[in-house]
């Protein structure tokens, strides 16, 4: 297990109230020994004008997962801040919910690198993202 903080799905989902996470209805639904998962709807809040999942919404899901995972790998008053995020959009999504799966590529004491893959409801990858965070 890589997590240093004890947390429940209920607590993670409560963190999203009153901010962009809640606004986009991002829901944490699984905490594994080395992974964190959340879903997000593909609807009017997250689509671009042509009816496809907006790339920026995918990045919001990715950065949310990576930042929360990074925080769970810290202790005490430590926090994490995003330093760099990139995303490769591989497949269009027009509806349903997408699922992000986050895993650490490096969870160090000063910086972290997270791989976040986003899948459509058919289990096909639609976005591959990487987030680098600094521990402060």
């Amino acid at each position: 297990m890589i997590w240093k903080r004890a947390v429940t799905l209920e607590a993670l989902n409560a963190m999203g109230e009153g901010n962009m996470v809640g606004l986009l209805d991002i829901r944490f639904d699984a905490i594994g020994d080395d992974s964190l998962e959340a879903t997000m709807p593909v609807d009017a809040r997250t689509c671009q004008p042509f009816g496809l999942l907006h790339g920026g919404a995918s990045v919001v899901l990715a950065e949310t997962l990576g930042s929360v995972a990074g925080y769970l790998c810290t202790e005490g008053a430590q926090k994490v801040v995003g330093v760099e995020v990139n995303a490769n959009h591989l497949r269009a999504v027009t509806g349903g919910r997408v699922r992000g799966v986050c895993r650490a590529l490096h969870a160090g004491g000063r910086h972290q690198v997270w791989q976040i893959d986003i899948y459509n409801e058919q289990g096909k990858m639609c976005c591959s993202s990487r987030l680098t965070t600094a521990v402060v």
Side-chain angles (χ1 to χ4, degrees):
M1 167 121 36
I2 65 171
W3 315 123
K4 296 179 180 176
R5 296 182 189 268
V7 70
T8 65
L9 291 173
E10 292 77 21
L12 290 180
N13 286 313
M15 288 173 47
E17 294 175 12
N19 57 57
M20 184 180 285
V21 176
L23 179 68
L24 296 184
D25 191 26
I26 294 172
R27 293 188 212 147
F28 292 92
D29 57 9
I31 304 171
D33 287 344
D34 66 349
S35 64
L36 184 62
E37 297 185 23
T39 62
M40 179 180 70
V42 179
D43 62 15
R45 295 169 289 185
T46 59
C47 283
Q48 36 93 311
F50 303 106
L52 305 174
L53 177 62
H54 194 294
S58 296
V59 173
V60 170
L61 176 58
E63 188 151 358
T64 298
L65 275 162
S67 295
V68 171
Y71 174 73
L72 295 178
C73 286
T74 63
E75 299 177 287
Q78 291 179 314
K79 294 183 177 33
V80 297
V81 294
V83 174
E84 189 269 340
V85 63
N86 70 18
N88 293 292
H89 307 290
L90 309 173
R91 176 175 277 109
V93 183
T94 59
R97 288 187 78 86
V98 290
R99 177 176 52 92
V101 179
C102 177
R103 288 193 167 79
L105 297 177
H106 174 74
R110 294 185 184 189
H111 71 276
Q112 306 163 339
V113 181
W114 298 94
Q115 178 68 37
I116 305 98
D117 294 323
I118 300 174
Y119 301 89
N120 64 18
E121 288 184 330
Q122 291 73 42
K124 294 181 178 178
M125 187 184 298
C126 55
C127 179
S128 179
S129 183
R130 189 176 63 231
L131 173 70
T132 302
T133 60
V135 179
V136 294

